[in-house]
């Protein structure tokens, strides 16, 4: 049977999602707990990797098992044995055609800056502290140029080995709440550090250190050195993963078309 | 010169406020950083200790120094060298009569329960997850009996060595925001685990597992075994310390009188 599980994690103390020998990772912790629960080795597949320090409000994983508790009980069973920074939200049986990564049609990431003079102790783990007001209008104008299908070479880690760097961003929303400014970036796929470089670049635009014209030129240049700062992982969270059946996803897509 | 500093901390990874050999504590970390900044050993005094895992939104400390940076610069200087879970908010020069502990006339602690079925990953460190609705009306009615001057023997750790267990609670507010229920407990002083036992007991009242009558009897009994559960440290934060000059404090006191 194939099980689809929705999880959330505080990425601060994980060396990213993907399993690594002798390092604490989300995949490693979850597989160890699932192997205990099912009394058999479990290999999970995630909708995508998140880097060290990056959080997830909703990450989707799946695995195949022969035995295990009733699927809907997984969140309760796992709650007792998972560490407190890794939460199982919801489980359901999936068809054999379902694949957490290959069935995904899009994702939303959130990046949050905290602009108050002094960081708030209750949110510091999940934000990037950048004291001082940001010009949201300028950030929104610059963000418009990133929306669409582009070669995002300038907006991914220079070391990235993936050849095809063409991705589609469907939407970038810039939202303010008190002293927090969040970017919600929705796309069909993301390159390494892509959201962090977009966030760092738009932050510089909001600070008046980078212009809308520079963003336009940077997209065309296909050269990492022409874009802005790579914002730190603490401010980034995988917000939502979309599969074809989702109404929310259809709404996002309609807004784009 | 005496310096008064307002700090905040995420208590999760500290073994409490008070310095302990070979353990990571708030006092230990802060003294080490201040000694670097002033190039001399610094001993700080806090408004009170907080236990392992307990947070502070506003803790007050003071120390005496012969040399150091301009006082108002401390938050900026410390920001570069303090760990991310310890934040310097504001510094000012204090008179020689000021003492962070002995000049304090009262404190507010906040205890927060999260009542959603699944814990929120972004707040789990600062709350106690207790799924299920709480009867806030019952909690408020029971809390009224704790307000006032009482012997709080039933509401402090049985191992407490302090002889005088009479304290005055000026106010307990029970506030709901979304799936969070917070208790704000304001008093002139607190015994060990006192707010955590009050929180745990009022939680049980809200769940229908403990009655208003039991709370009244427990106060009279002066026996720890008659009160409720000791809620975990994660949900507790030192919210505010009051000194005589504070308008807020005068308002709290007037409300009580």
């Amino acid at each position: 049977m194939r099980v689809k599980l929705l999880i959330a994690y505080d990425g601060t103390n994980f060396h990213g999602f993907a399993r690594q020998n002798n390092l604490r990772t989300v995949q490693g912790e979850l597989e160890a707990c699932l192997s205990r629960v099912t009394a058999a080795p479990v290999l999970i597949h995630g909708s995508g990797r998140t880097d060290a320090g990056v959080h997830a409000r909703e990450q989707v994983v799946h695995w195949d098992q022969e035995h295990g508790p009733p699927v809907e009980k997984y969140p309760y069973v796992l709650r007792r044995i998972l560490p407190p920074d890794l939460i199982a939200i919801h489980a359901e049986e999936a068809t054999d055609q379902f694949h957490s990564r290959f069935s995904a049609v899009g994702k939303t990431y959130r990046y949050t800056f905290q602009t108050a003079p002094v960081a708030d102790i209750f949110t510091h783990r999940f934000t990037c502290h950048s004291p001082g007001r940001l010009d949201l209008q300028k950030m929104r104008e610059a963000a418009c140029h990133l929306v669409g299908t582009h070669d995002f070479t300038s907006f991914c880690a220079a070391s990235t080995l993936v050849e095809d760097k063409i991705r589609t961003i469907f939407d970038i929303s810039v939202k303010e709440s008190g002293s927090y400014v969040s970017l919600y970036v929705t796309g069909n796929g993301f390159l390494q550090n892509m959201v962090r470089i977009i966030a760092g670049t738009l932050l510089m635009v909001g600070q008046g250190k980078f212009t809308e014209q520079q963003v336009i030129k940077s997209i065309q240049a296909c050269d990492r050195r022409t874009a802005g700062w790579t914002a730190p992982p603490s401010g980034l969270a995988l917000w939502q993963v979309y599969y074809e059946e989702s109404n929310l996803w259809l709404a996002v897509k309609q807004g784009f078309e």
Side-chain angles (χ1 to χ4, degrees), chain A:
Chain A
M1 191 211 311
R2 185 155 290 186
V3 184
K4 175 185 176 186
L5 178 72
L6 200 62
I7 59 171
Y9 44 87
D10 171 348
T12 314
N13 299 330
F14 287 107
H15 292 266
F17 177 84
R19 193 190 323 109
Q20 297 182 61
N21 281 339
N22 303 321
L23 290 176
R24 184 172 190 261
T25 64
V26 174
Q27 186 175 13
E29 290 277 344
L30 186 55
E31 286 180 344
C33 288
L34 288 172
S35 298
R36 278 177 60 191
V37 169
T38 62
V42 171
L43 293 180
I44 65 167
H45 299 268
S47 74
R49 296 164 172 215
T50 51
D51 288 337
V54 174
H55 319 289
R57 187 192 71 137
E58 283 191 14
Q59 164 76 289
V60 177
V61 304
H62 83 267
W63 69 90
D64 293 319
Q65 65 178 34
E66 292 191 9
H67 307 289
V71 170
E72 69 278 10
K73 296 282 184 205
Y74 263 111
Y76 307 96
V77 172
L78 288 171
R79 198 169 293 164
R80 292 156 196 262
I81 55 175
L82 283 174
D85 50 357
L86 176 52
I87 294 173
I89 301 173
H90 178 79
E92 61 188 47
E93 187 173 345
T95 64
D96 288 347
Q97 284 70 50
F98 175 82
H99 190 289
S100 57
R101 180 167 167 212
F102 301 121
S103 305
V105 292
K107 283 178 191 162
T108 295
Y109 278 92
R110 184 189 74 170
Y111 197 98
T112 301
F113 294 105
Q114 186 176 174
T115 63
V118 176
D120 182 321
I121 194 69
F122 297 118
T123 58
H124 76 102
R125 288 170 81 86
F126 304 105
T127 57
C128 165
H129 186 222
S130 173
R133 279 199 64 76
L134 297 175
D135 187 329
L136 301 193
Q137 189 52 34
K138 278 190 179 166
M139 290 171 76
R140 290 184 180 121
E141 283 165 11
C144 285
H145 300 288
L146 291 160
V147 172
T149 303
H150 303 288
D151 182 322
F152 282 99
T153 300
S154 298
F155 293 83
C156 83
S159 57
T160 302
L161 295 173
V162 179
E163 286 206 3
D164 176 12
K165 289 173 180 153
I166 294 174
R167 297 289 183 277
T168 300
I169 291 184
F170 298 108
D171 187 54
I172 301 181
S173 308
V174 181
K175 291 182 184 169
E176 188 174 27
S177 172
S179 63
Y180 299 92
V181 173
S182 292
L183 314 176
Y184 293 83
V185 185
T186 303
N188 67 349
F190 293 92
L191 298 160
Q192 200 191 352
N193 289 2
M194 183 167 152
V195 183
R196 290 168 55 192
I197 298 170
I198 289 173
T201 303
L202 292 179
L203 175 78
M204 291 171 73
V205 170
Q207 292 171 328
K209 295 176 183 167
F210 206 86
T211 66
E212 187 180 350
Q213 279 307 313
Q214 281 177 287
V215 172
I216 296 169
K217 280 188 182 163
S218 179
I219 297 168
Q220 294 164 347
C222 291
D223 178 346
R224 170 68 189 93
R225 292 167 297 179
T226 62
W229 184 51
T230 305
S234 62
L236 186 61
L238 173 55
W239 200 248
Q240 186 152 14
V241 185
Y242 306 95
Y243 295 95
E244 297 195 52
E245 68 268 28
S246 144
N247 285 331
L248 194 61
W249 176 248
L250 294 175
V252 169
K253 245 179 105 182
Q254 271 169 14
F256 178 69
E257 280 163 2

